[in-house]
Amino acid sequence: MRRRTGAAGLVAVGLLAAGVVVPVATPLAHAEPRACTENQVRYVAEEPGGIARLGARRAWGLSTGKGVVVAVVDSGVSATNAHFPRGSVLPGRSFVGGPATTDESSHGTAIAGIIAARDIGERSGVVGVAPDALILPVKITGGEAGDDEAQQRAANLAPGITWAVSAGADVINLSLSTAADRPDVRAAVAAAVRAGVVVVASGGNRDQAAEVKDGLRFPAANPGVIGVAATTGSDVVTEDSIHGPHVDVAAPGDDVATTFRAWGDCIFSQEGQSSSYATAYVSGAAALLRQRFPSASPADLTYRLQATASRGTRTVRDDVSGWGVVQPYEAMTATFDDSVAGPVRPGGTPRASVAPRVTTVDLTPSPDPRAGDRTTVLWLLLGVAVAVLGLGMGRMLRVPRGS
């Protein structure tokens, strides 16, 4: 996979996490082995529901994300989890002290597992959407700094994005959001997209947002970013997700089985849907597409994900689920032209500006060159008819002779 270089200004930005969920320290009601308890290694036997809903196993016949570098700009990634064998998590960089391969909150490790957890056999059913992708941890919160998380994100997000691009990221996962459009983050994202990086960001969670009203959330609303909403197990986006024009696609966001720091597996987001985890599913799908189409632009890969997403009406997006639930296999196998229903293909003509095809019909009467002949024939036929009629009437009126 290609490596890129680039730089951007390192300035501060204020952001709020869109889906940071701290795992509960009590067993789940339906299965003891699913308990999320620190210092106790446990595994989830079942395959994550999102793997089936995205058709990931079918997609693996075409791509597993091999060699694709996915940057997780978050709280770090615990590289000691069994689902991350040596070499699958790169050293990365921490902006808050300590190594990027540690994670105090569990959030970054959970995101990384959704994207690229390796299959470890019968011990666990957990596996990532792109199981051969490489994780590049970019730690912007936690660590040794001891600062407020919001302040850390404010100071470190834009530099983290910029560093991820310089370190060779092919996909950048941003499971966070804010209602503020910050210039430094906008600039960092724009530089990443220009460098050929696919940037995926959370559309926002209502219960964790400072502003709970629907509307634009950033960086999801920044140009070139794929904004993601979270669905239920029935592929329905609920009020848990912020709705708005920034939502491009949707993905699974509840009962998410994934990696739990150094202690095996856990199921997160059991009481609702989190767009953090949905964002990770889309980043995994983007990694599959990046391996399959190594020279495609971010716009081309975004279009493929949008155009093939599962939705009720092929021609319509909405502010709730965008273009629908991503389907990576379909995104890798579809062929496109301007006639395909859905979003406008990169370089295509917006359908609203396409002039309707008009056929002009000339209703002016034109002269008939055989009109005279037709008139003569008509008079002859009329004359014959009159003669026949007269003959018949004469026979009916004839008086018989006497004897």
Side-chain angles (χ1 to χ4, degrees), residues 308-348:
T308 59
S310 175
R311 54 187 178 273
T313 304
R314 299 306 304 167
T315 57
V316 179
R317 75 160 293 283
D318 58 47
D319 286 351
V320 177
S321 59
W323 288 105
V325 180
V326 294
Q327 301 292 309
Y329 177 83
E330 287 76 4
M332 287 189 286
T333 56
T335 57
F336 302 103
D337 58 34
D338 287 336
S339 68
V340 175
V344 177
R345 186 167 57 96

Side-chain angles (χ1 to χ4, degrees), residues 24-378:
V24 296
T26 56
L28 306 189
H30 53 290
E32 172 68 21
R34 297 175 184 235
C36 307
T37 306
E38 293 188 359
N39 300 310
Q40 294 185 28
V41 177
R42 296 177 177 175
Y43 294 101
V44 175
E46 298 87 350
E47 181 179 88
I51 294 296
R53 284 155 59 196
L54 268 60
R57 288 197 173 275
R58 188 181 186 197
W60 294 339
L62 301 174
S63 171
T64 58
K66 187 175 180 61
V68 177
V69 177
V70 182
V72 176
V73 182
D74 212 287
S75 61
V77 176
S78 293
T80 55
N81 189 287
H83 290 282
F84 299 129
R86 183 181 299 274
S88 61
V89 177
L90 303 175
R93 177 174 174 180
S94 174
F95 287 82
V96 291
T101 51
T102 60
D103 179 11
E104 290 76 26
S105 78
S106 304
H107 190 255
T109 305
I111 296 300
I114 295 169
I115 297 169
R118 268 49 170 178
D119 186 344
I120 59 173
E122 295 182 357
R123 283 185 295 169
S124 169
V126 167
V127 64
V129 179
D132 287 331
L134 300 174
I135 295 295
L136 178 69
V138 183
K139 189 170 183 175
I140 63 170
T141 63
E144 301 171 352
D147 297 332
D148 176 82
E149 286 191 5
Q151 293 178 348
Q152 289 180 330
R153 284 187 289 274
N156 299 324
L157 180 62
I161 294 170
T162 300
W163 184 85
V165 175
S166 69
D170 298 294
V171 179
I172 295 178
N173 184 96
L174 303 173
S175 288
L176 42 82
S177 73
T178 178
D181 182 10
R182 308 301 297 217
D184 60 336
V185 175
R186 175 181 284 265
V189 165
V193 174
R194 286 196 302 271
V197 180
V198 180
V199 182
V200 188
S202 166
N205 296 332
R206 200 175 308 278
D207 65 344
Q208 295 172 329
E211 172 55 69
V212 298
K213 294 180 180 179
D214 289 331
L216 293 176
R217 295 296 187 271
F218 300 90
N222 289 142
V225 179
I226 303 175
V228 185
T231 72
T232 66
S234 300
D235 292 334
V236 174
V237 176
T238 71
E239 289 300 310
D240 286 1
S241 290
I242 297 291
H243 307 159
H246 62 292
V247 176
D248 296 302
V249 293
D254 62 6
D255 291 324
V256 176
T258 184
T259 45
F260 177 43
R261 291 162 73 182
W263 306 302
D265 307 335
C266 180
I267 295 187
F268 294 86
S269 200
Q270 301 169 64
E271 302 300 326
Q273 296 78 47
S274 170
S275 58
S276 276
Y277 305 130
T279 300
Y281 275 112
V282 177
S283 290
L288 297 179
L289 267 65
R290 173 50 75 208
Q291 181 196 348
R292 181 74 171 173
F293 306 106
S295 300
S297 69
D300 289 334
L301 299 186
T302 299
Y303 172 73
R304 283 186 168 274
L305 289 170
Q306 293 175 340
T308 59
S310 175
R311 54 187 178 273
T313 304
R314 299 306 304 167
T315 57
V316 179
R317 75 160 293 283
D318 58 47
D319 286 351
V320 177
S321 59
W323 288 105
V325 180
V326 294
Q327 301 292 309
Y329 177 83
E330 287 76 4
M332 287 189 286
T333 56
T335 57
F336 302 103
D337 58 34
D338 287 336
S339 68
V340 175
V344 177
R345 186 167 57 96
T349 304
R351 290 175 179 81
S353 65
V354 176
R357 183 177 296 174
V358 178
T359 302
T360 302
V361 179
D362 186 1
L363 300 179
T364 304
S366 59
D368 186 349
R370 301 189 64 184
D373 294 340
R374 291 191 177 91
T375 302
T376 301
V377 171
L378 181 62

